[in-house]
Amino acid sequence: MIIKLKDEINSALDFNQSATELFDKINNLSDEEFILDFEDVVFISMSFAQAYYASKKRSPKKVTEINLSDDVNPMMEMIEKQLMF
Amino acid sequence: MEFEEIINSKNGDEIDLKDLKFNPTAILPLLCECKNKNFKVDNNVNAFEYLENILMEDILFSGLPKSRNESDEADFLSRYVEKLDSEYGSYFVLRHIISELANNVYDHSNIGNVEVDSFILSKFHHNHKKLDVTVIDDGLSIPGLFEKSNVDFENDYQAIEKAIGTFSTVSTTAYERGNGLRTIVRLVAEGNDGEILIVSRNGCVHITGEKYWYYLLGEEHKFNGTLVSIRLNKYEVQNIYELLEPQKVNNYKINGVIHDY
């Protein structure tokens, strides 16, 4: 299943609650694999990114990200790297 | 402080604003007081509405949305930052600062379903090439949040030291940790050689570049809520992601000298 984050949430992903609620929805759907499309997402806050990876780590679903722009990819990479410690 | 001089000189419910200098750090707590206590100015005019009308003319002022619709709130933050000059810090730095402060307001101040007012105000000082941004809420406060979370601290300024250091009430793991204030302080003070003032309950810290001072506010100066006021210089922050990385050491550790206010 593909979820476009711009349509699901907003083109700016500010709030940690948005990430938590996103994964609550994902975890309650019957699909096992999800592609999260970040096309046209122009900003990701640190709070959102942290909550996103925390929720992703706890989720039983397989989740991958696509279309992360140069504006938002550095934040996601930084937080994902911190996840490894 | 200018805010206190105005409040302390009020006559009944009437306040005198003729000497007001529209400093964001004074204006926002004044707005909160006017709204909560229904103060008046000349000819029985509602002081909050009076200030709101003046502020809308040439200073970017707004209450933070209470819609609890996160898309509306994100749109508001985007529109607000677009009105600021990105040469002060950079668009990302401005967006990061305002987003993280809004996250703190929504996450930490509304615990227990208590109605909280929060405002943001920005003012340009074009001659001096500086931009002030102030966010205020009349919610739980940093020490209040720590008390609710059973976090140990001895004094309210120590709670602020923890909040801007390597500590968070959100989680103890690196990727889950709430890092809003810590990263804002580093971006502003280290990345932009700017200034930051944080006031919360009886605690206060003033950071300018590499220097910092902690204050213990007496009961008469206690601030019920949190105020974060930032002054940015007109150049872009470099090495942003390096400044966002967690650190093992707190660069703003209390050094034994606490000022009374």
Side-chain angles (χ1 to χ4, degrees):
Chain A
M1 182 179 193
I2 296 176
I3 298 177
K4 281 188 75 79
L5 291 198
K6 184 198 167 194
D7 298 330
E8 182 69 22
I9 304 175
N10 194 282
S11 58
L13 304 176
D14 282 277
F15 302 105
N16 50 34
Q17 194 170 336
S18 302
T20 308
E21 289 173 354
L22 172 68
F23 274 88
D24 285 345
K25 175 177 177 173
I26 287 172
N27 293 338
N28 285 323
L29 290 170
S30 56
D31 299 61
E32 289 303 316
E33 297 189 16
F34 291 82
I35 296 172
L36 301 189
D37 187 349
F38 284 75
E39 187 179 25
D40 294 327
V41 171
V42 299
F43 174 78
I44 292 180
S45 74
M46 180 178 253
S47 290
F48 177 92
Q50 287 174 322
Y52 177 91
Y53 280 107
S55 300
K56 181 180 177 182
K57 184 165 181 174
R58 288 191 284 262
S59 173
K61 308 290 183 172
K62 182 180 175 193
V63 175
T64 52
E65 299 87 19
I66 62 170
N67 293 327
L68 281 159
S69 71
D70 290 343
D71 286 335
V72 303
N73 197 40
M75 178 64 80
M76 295 293 274
E77 280 189 343
M78 181 183 74
I79 299 300
E80 188 178 26
K81 193 174 107 181
Q82 289 172 13
L83 176 83
M84 305 305 288
F85 291 95
Chain B
M1 288 192 275
E2 187 181 351
F3 159 67
E4 291 188 340
E5 285 172 9
I6 292 171
I7 293 299
N8 292 339
S9 63
K10 67 178 174 26
N11 180 12
D13 66 352
E14 183 158 325
I15 55 172
D16 184 354
L17 300 177
K18 69 174 184 305
D19 292 325
L20 185 63
K21 296 184 183 67
F22 293 96
N23 177 317
T25 307
I27 281 282
L28 280 192
L30 184 61
L31 275 161
C32 284
E33 281 288 284
C34 289
K35 190 164 195 243
N36 290 336
K37 296 185 182 163
N38 202 27
F39 288 150
K40 304 284 189 284
V41 288
D42 298 339
N43 297 321
N44 210 33
V45 172
N46 180 280
F48 178 78
E49 290 170 5
Y50 173 81
L51 282 168
E52 232 187 349
N53 285 333
I54 292 176
L55 290 171
M56 292 300 261
E57 287 176 9
D58 61 358
I59 296 176
L60 291 170
F61 160 73
S62 179
L64 287 178
K66 294 184 193 178
S67 66
R68 299 316 296 143
N69 176 315
E70 282 158 18
S71 186
D72 290 345
E73 291 162 356
D75 285 340
F76 166 81
L77 296 180
S78 293
R79 285 196 304 271
Y80 191 91
V81 174
E82 278 161 19
K83 295 177 189 172
L84 301 177
D85 185 342
S86 63
E87 288 186 80
Y88 292 88
S90 81
Y91 174 84
F92 176 85
V93 167
L94 291 168
R95 194 72 174 81
H96 175 86
I97 288 170
I98 288 171
S99 180
E100 293 300 327
L101 290 178
N103 261 289
N104 282 352
V105 168
Y106 292 133
D107 280 354
H108 298 158
S109 302
N110 289 314
I111 293 171
N113 294 320
V114 175
E115 176 93 350
V116 169
D117 282 320
S118 50
F119 300 94
I120 181 169
L121 187 149
S122 303
K123 182 178 179 186
F124 292 93
H125 303 274
H126 293 296
N127 289 343
H128 302 291
K129 296 188 177 159
K130 294 189 189 294
L131 167 65
D132 291 344
V133 179
T134 299
V135 175
I136 189 175
D137 70 77
D138 62 358
L140 207 52
S141 82
I142 295 169
L145 173 65
F146 278 19
E147 284 167 351
K148 268 203 177 294
S149 307
N150 296 318
V151 172
D152 287 332
F153 62 97
E154 290 183 16
N155 293 294
D156 286 4
Y157 58 82
Q158 193 190 27
I160 296 179
E161 181 204 36
K162 284 194 168 192
I164 65 175
T166 55
F167 184 84
S168 167
T169 56
V170 176
S171 171
T172 55
T173 54
Y175 58 89
E176 289 191 61
R177 176 176 305 168
N179 286 300
L181 276 181
R182 176 186 65 78
T183 55
I184 289 169
V185 166
R186 291 201 73 200
L187 286 171
V188 173
E190 297 174 41
N192 186 259
D193 200 29
E195 285 185 65
I196 184 163
L197 175 74
I198 302 172
V199 182
S200 199
R201 213 165 68 176
N202 291 100
C204 172
V205 68
H206 176 210
I207 301 170
T208 173
E210 294 181 352
K211 298 178 186 173
Y212 58 96
W213 302 266
Y214 283 94
Y215 295 84
L216 179 63
L217 306 179
E219 274 307 300
E220 66 276 22
H221 301 296
K222 175 179 165 181
F223 184 76
N224 290 314
T226 300
L227 177 148
V228 180
S229 196
I230 285 153
R231 174 162 284 182
L232 289 162
N233 292 299
K234 196 172 183 179
Y235 59 82
E236 293 195 8
V237 174
Q238 308 298 317
N239 305 321
I240 289 174
Y241 288 95
E242 191 180 303
L243 293 168
L244 295 179
E245 289 276 3
Q247 291 179 290
K248 291 182 183 168
V249 175
N250 182 359
N251 290 342
Y252 305 99
K253 203 141 181 61
I254 293 169
N255 57 11
V257 179
I258 305 301
H259 303 272
D260 290 325
Y261 191 94

